[in-house]
Amino acid sequence: MVSPVDNFQKIIGHKEIIAFLKKLKNMPFIHSLIFCGKKGIGKRTLALVFAQYLACLKEEKAPCGECSHCQMVGDLEYPYLEIIFPGWENVKTIKDEDQYENLLDLRSQYRLFEMRPETSKKESISIDVIREIKERIKMKADEYRIYLIVDAERMTQEAANAFLKTLEEPPEKVFFILTTSQIHKLPATIRSRCYLLKFSSLEPKAIEEFLVKKGWPLDTAKKVSVFSFGSLRTALQLINRGEKIFPEEVIKFAEIRKREVGYYFFRNFYEKYSETDYDTIVSFIKDLIFLYRGLLYQKLGYLNLLEIDPHLKVIAERKTYEEIIISLYKLNQLYEECEYNLNKKLILFNLYSSLTDEKSFTYQSLDI
């Protein structure tokens, strides 16, 4: 007979946090947790495995990963587990059957050991959803109840105020787990009533070993693990591209130094991308951020691009530390603005200005 699987062992890293979570049954005074850390490092996954741990029918071997409770938690079908994310609506108010089915389909993508989807920053967690939670926790239950709130910093002000009252007097055997990559956006009143667990970035070697076990070639896994910067989700997104994780135009954009050279390249680039969909442009900017982080790490001596991609090392050597820092800062700003600004013309122009020679303060007029 195959021995039960301890799903905690499937988690990459975070050993100290796992050890703490295993003690929480003996800490009835802790009801609310904040899982804080960068995107894609396993916060939601560990929260669901912890839910398995609480729900498992084989308490002495929890989480076994095999009993009906563990399987229901993994599939988000356990009746005492609620998962809330930006865009999730109060299901009681949905009358359109197709809308309801689409929402359940989106929710299913948050299942255990699956790569969760990115949600638009325009989506929030509304007060109606928090009110529904407050109604549900009034019902008594002998089992542990877990409420997982993903990207909790995107609660509206009204929702945060309503949730605060629930945190002040939580029922017994109820756990609230809030995940966030932007802890500073959570109201201080909520932060002060939750136990904060800080998730560190994953080690590149750990990501590399995980990818190799999944059957990917070592060379590709090594390159991807470096440019994932501690995020397993990013690594899984990049490795599906094969050996060339960065498109050729991303590399060419990073090579731009002088405005007269960048201008002609940008004209061709604009003609192509001004007709493409918005998400493709955002993805292009995101790739540039990953690439420039690599150039910065090369400058700081944290990695050796010569072992990964010699051409990228040459690009890093041709740029100054200040050029990389300024471009990376502008790219991050631009990426944040993309969530709120749908003007593709302005985004493309800002992209051009963020990567051309920073020593000049004059811009060549672009007739676009």
Side-chain angles (χ1 to χ4, degrees):
M1 180 178 178
V2 179
S3 59
V5 177
D6 181 350
N7 278 342
F8 276 127
Q9 294 177 359
K10 291 185 179 180
I11 302 293
I12 301 176
H14 315 311
K15 300 305 179 186
E16 292 182 359
I17 293 177
I18 290 172
F20 174 79
L21 293 177
K22 287 182 176 182
K23 299 175 183 178
L24 280 184
K25 285 184 179 180
N26 301 319
M27 300 180 183
F29 49 89
I30 296 179
H31 293 268
S32 307
L33 304 167
I34 294 176
F35 286 10
C36 170
K38 70 189 299 181
K39 294 180 179 180
I41 58 176
K43 301 186 298 295
R44 181 235 0 169
T45 298
L46 184 50
L48 290 176
V49 173
F50 175 61
Q52 283 184 323
Y53 173 71
L54 295 175
C56 186
L57 295 173
K58 301 178 182 179
E59 188 171 348
E60 70 283 357
K61 296 180 180 179
C64 70
E66 295 179 343
C67 70
S68 60
H69 282 194
C70 282
Q71 292 178 8
M72 284 193 292
V73 168
D75 292 332
L76 305 185
E77 295 175 352
Y78 187 61
Y80 300 110
L81 168 67
E82 293 286 342
I83 182 168
I84 298 97
F85 52 87
W88 180 255
E89 301 177 44
N90 186 329
V91 294
K92 294 178 182 178
T93 64
I94 298 177
K95 297 180 181 179
D96 185 281
E97 187 173 339
D98 289 339
Q99 181 186 0
Y100 182 74
E101 290 298 324
N102 290 338
L103 188 61
L104 290 183
D105 179 64
L106 180 59
R107 180 178 180 270
S108 70
Q109 296 178 51
Y110 284 77
R111 287 177 298 191
L112 184 61
F113 299 127
E114 292 194 10
M115 190 165 64
R116 59 155 283 202
E118 293 280 0
T119 55
S120 170
K121 289 186 179 179
K122 295 179 180 179
E123 301 285 2
S124 60
I125 299 172
S126 70
I127 189 172
D128 288 339
V129 174
I130 299 301
R131 284 171 177 164
E132 186 173 356
I133 292 176
K134 294 176 71 173
E135 289 298 316
R136 288 175 181 267
I137 64 174
K138 290 178 181 178
M139 298 181 289
K140 293 186 178 181
D142 294 330
E143 306 291 337
Y144 283 102
R145 288 176 286 173
I146 306 98
Y147 294 87
L148 171 57
I149 304 178
V150 178
D151 294 338
E153 77 279 0
R154 284 156 67 181
M155 279 190 276
T156 64
Q157 186 62 54
E158 295 81 5
N161 291 339
F163 186 58
L164 181 61
K165 296 177 181 178
T166 303
L167 287 177
E168 289 172 345
E169 298 179 5
E172 291 185 6
K173 302 189 80 171
V174 169
F175 278 103
F176 294 107
I177 302 177
L178 288 65
T179 73
T180 179
S181 59
Q182 297 177 301
I183 185 68
H184 60 283
K185 291 187 177 181
L186 266 178
T189 48
I190 288 181
R191 297 200 305 265
S192 65
R193 287 164 175 79
C194 300
Y195 194 93
L196 179 63
L197 293 172
K198 295 182 180 180
F199 283 61
S200 301
S201 298
L202 301 174
E203 292 292 331
K205 191 65 177 178
I207 294 177
E208 177 188 320
E209 291 174 353
F210 173 85
L211 295 174
V212 170
K213 286 180 181 178
K214 290 293 183 180
W216 294 98
L218 177 60
D219 290 346
T220 306
K222 182 186 289 288
K223 183 186 296 186
V224 164
S225 66
V226 168
F227 283 99
S228 64
F229 298 100
S231 169
L232 182 59
R233 190 194 311 168
T234 297
L236 291 171
Q237 290 170 340
L238 293 177
I239 202 163
N240 286 320
R241 301 177 179 182
E243 292 185 9
K244 294 189 72 172
I245 61 175
F246 292 116
E248 193 64 33
E249 282 185 325
V250 171
I251 304 293
K252 288 181 178 179
F253 226 110
E255 289 176 328
I256 297 174
R257 296 202 70 215
K258 295 181 179 180
R259 291 193 187 281
E260 57 269 24
V261 176
Y263 171 76
Y264 294 110
F265 174 83
F266 179 75
R267 286 303 304 240
N268 296 329
F269 175 84
Y270 178 83
E271 289 175 4
K272 175 181 178 180
Y273 278 84
S274 61
E275 300 300 325
T276 192
D277 63 282
Y278 191 77
D279 289 341
T280 300
I281 297 174
V282 175
S283 178
F284 189 93
I285 295 170
K286 193 174 182 180
D287 280 343
L288 279 169
I289 291 174
F290 290 146
L291 177 54
Y292 266 75
R293 283 181 185 171
L295 301 182
L296 178 60
Y297 275 46
Q298 170 68 40
K299 284 288 187 184
L300 295 173
Y302 292 156
L303 60 86
N304 184 3
L305 287 177
L306 183 63
E307 299 176 353
I308 302 166
D309 190 328
H311 183 56
L312 296 184
K313 185 175 186 297
V314 173
I315 295 176
E317 289 174 345
R318 288 177 177 174
K319 292 182 179 292
T320 67
Y321 176 80
E322 290 76 13
E323 285 175 336
I324 295 173
I325 286 288
I326 292 172
S327 292
L328 188 55
Y329 173 75
K330 287 190 172 184
L331 285 168
N332 276 303
Q333 276 191 321
L334 185 57
Y335 182 70
E336 291 293 321
E337 291 170 2
C338 283
E339 292 291 345
Y340 307 101
N341 180 11
L342 295 179
N343 188 328
K344 288 196 291 186
K345 176 180 176 180
L346 181 59
I347 288 173
L348 289 171
F349 179 78
N350 286 342
L351 178 58
Y352 165 74
S353 65
S354 69
L355 294 181
T356 45
D357 186 10
E358 291 296 337
K359 293 180 180 179
S360 172
F361 291 95
T362 58
Y363 287 82
Q364 182 170 356
S365 175
L366 294 175
D367 182 24
I368 56 178

